[in-house]
Amino acid sequence: MTTEESALEVDLQTHPTAKLLVDRCKDLFAEIANLTPGQDLEHHLNQHYGPGNPIYEDLCKYIRQGIYNDEGWVATIELDGPKYRRSKISLPKTETKFLSITTVYMDSKEEYSGQYHQHPYGEINCVIQLDKTAELRGMKGWQGAGWTSPGPGTHHYPQVRGGA
């Protein structure tokens, strides 16, 4: 990894909660290794790793702690003001099974669309609600707490409604 690339990532030595998040993501990645993003993985994640599962609950705890304590690592780069932000927590590397970890914060009571993007290899989204009414639009419709997983070749404008 180049110096320039590492500057894009959150410094895990400076942000211990971010390191805890990455370590817990590694646990999840080890359990779902060799599964391809898409509807089947989305169903599997919601069935086995959704709300109430220790991995999911830990991911929620670390993200909420980072936001509520203003730790300076969760979704700090504004894309459309404070309501739409992101941070690259980890670039793809051996330790993360070549998956990247990005935090995205979207907040809107009304439907709000973020930046259009494509998923050449698919995407896995852990939906963490700060407001119990918040929902992210997945490929199968609106999703509260849980997971969405657009498959390879999909594309969309991420959408949120009902809060953060």
Side-chain angles (χ1 to χ4, degrees):
M1 180 181 321
T2 68
T3 305
E4 194 173 284
E5 286 175 326
S6 65
L8 299 174
E9 290 181 299
V10 167
D11 182 350
L12 300 181
Q13 301 307 315
T14 305
H15 300 287
T17 309
K19 182 174 182 340
L20 291 171
L21 178 83
V22 170
D23 289 343
R24 204 57 169 132
C25 285
K26 289 180 198 176
D27 294 339
L28 176 68
F29 298 160
E31 293 195 26
I32 63 168
N34 301 318
L35 298 178
T36 302
Q39 289 185 8
D40 290 345
L41 179 58
E42 181 172 311
H43 177 75
H44 178 77
L45 289 168
N46 282 305
Q47 197 74 6
H48 301 286
Y49 296 94
N53 174 276
I55 291 176
Y56 178 84
E57 295 302 329
D58 285 348
L59 297 176
C60 291
K61 175 176 66 176
Y62 300 142
I63 292 294
R64 288 179 182 134
Q65 178 180 327
I67 290 173
Y68 295 149
N69 295 339
D70 198 20
E71 294 181 1
W73 62 272
V74 178
T76 58
I77 300 166
E78 291 188 0
L79 303 172
D80 186 16
K83 70 180 175 187
Y84 183 35
R85 312 183 309 252
R86 79 172 155 234
S87 291
K88 186 68 71 176
I89 307 303
S90 178
L91 294 171
K93 58 184 83 169
T94 305
E95 301 84 51
T96 61
K97 301 203 179 293
F98 298 97
L99 297 170
S100 64
I101 302 168
T102 303
T103 56
V104 178
Y105 176 90
M106 296 177 77
D107 184 8
S108 181
K109 296 297 179 200
E110 305 299 319
E111 281 187 31
Y112 171 77
S113 296
Q115 292 179 343
Y116 175 84
H117 64 278
Q118 299 178 353
H119 315 113
Y121 305 106
E123 182 174 79
I124 301 170
N125 300 299
C126 181
V127 182
I128 299 171
Q129 297 170 303
L130 301 182
D131 301 309
K132 294 212 180 284
T133 55
E135 296 178 300
L136 178 72
R137 180 174 235 148
M139 302 314 265
K140 293 178 7 181
W142 292 101
Q143 169 75 47
W147 301 87
T148 68
S149 184
T154 58
H155 50 91
H156 69 129
Y157 291 92
Q159 293 179 291
V160 68
R161 69 179 181 190

